[in-house]
Amino acid sequence: METDILIVVGARPNFMKAAPLYRALASRGYTVKLVHTGQHYDANMSDVFFEQLQLPRPDEYLGVGGGTHAEQTANIMVAFEKVLAQATPKIVVVVGDVNSTIACSLVASKAGVRVAHVEAGLRSFDRSMPEEINRVLTDRISDLLFVTEDSGLRNLANEGVPEHQVFFVGNVMIDSLVHVLNTIESDEAARAASVEDRTYALCTMHRPSNVDDFERLQTVVDTIASVARELPVYLPLHPRTRKSLVRHSLLEALSAHENVHVLDPLGYLEFLKLMTGATVLITDSGGIQEETTYLRIPCLTVRENTERPVTCELGSNELVPLDVDRILDRVRTILAGRWKESRIPPLWDGHAGERIADVIAASLAPAQTVP
Ligand code: UD1
């Protein structure tokens, strides 16, 4: 059967973005194939998301995880080129900013296949983040660019991207959140993940800039220990962070702290269950800034910048430096109930996937002039 659309996924944050797109495109009658690069390969970083998001098993699994950035990106490119030549889709859809995103868009673009980038235009203006390089390059070679927030429109205009290629559609990550929100209470796995504490912090850290270097990681550990004197801290550990804690002999002391609960990476529903009950999120993630904004839960993002400024301008997010006292001060403010009023950004309404599918459908229509 001819393939109309290939959707590429690779790493954990991609799965919740792809699920609403897959649903919206397949329901319009297109033949949609899912390619999983295998950038993330552990069951709890990948398989569980397919089950919980009701994504079908990938049509192609490239099995290209691990390695340096160059190795990972290059291996994905080599493997994806073969899949693309076989499938001959009319368009390739990539999401987010991970290495799989740039690797597959580069291959498709050079093969003369149109590329749609979902979550285009976000910029931290910080090239020390590998994701920023992936964002800039993917946008440069994409044909259709789907934007989640106002800043994305401005950034793409400043970079000279023609207006007719850019579509402000809202946020597919929020589509997935809205889709499962009602099921969290009844889902068994999610219920099992709930905790008894009524007040607690949920913490995730995995950025190389926070967890790779010993001194920074030591400060992360000190911060978590200090916050844990105020309220219990739940800490699902990303494989990168676990490896680094072990390498620097910091994991044991952290796990031994009576108010710190070190967990394995959680499934989507389990994590959302913990998030919806949390008093505060302390994180360096991209997507959690958006999810907490939608849920209006205070979020402290331990980074110097964000590519998602709307989460600070309208949402419940605030950037904080990696500094024990500053973070403790913000946690105490939240515990005292003095956090800012926040709003949900425009078009974060659970229907972004449908809007994207409409634009892709129009671009595939035979009589249409395409960008
Ligand atoms: C990647 C993304 C980042 C995203 C994050 C979410 C890039 C450049 N970065 O970072 O934007 O926020 O995913 O998780 O694409 N590992 C495992 N098991 C797995 C996956 C990874 O053990 O299932 C190990 C890898 O072998 C490596 C480390 O964890 O040692 C980091 O994985 P990698 O894919 O290189 O980048 P992330 O830090 O996960």
Side-chain angles (χ1 to χ4, degrees), residues 11-13 38-46 65-69 72 97-101 129-131 134-135 206-208 238-241 243 284-286:
R12 185 170 63 178
Q39 181 177 340
H40 283 175
Y41 44 87
D42 287 349
N44 56 11
M45 296 291 285
S46 177
T68 65
H69 279 269
Q72 192 174 72
D97 56 15
V98 300
N99 287 341
S100 302
T101 310
M129 275 180 94
E131 294 82 1
N134 294 342
R135 289 181 201 116
H206 75 278
R207 295 264 156 231
H238 187 283
R240 170 186 285 281
T241 314
K243 282 182 193 176
D284 58 9
S285 148

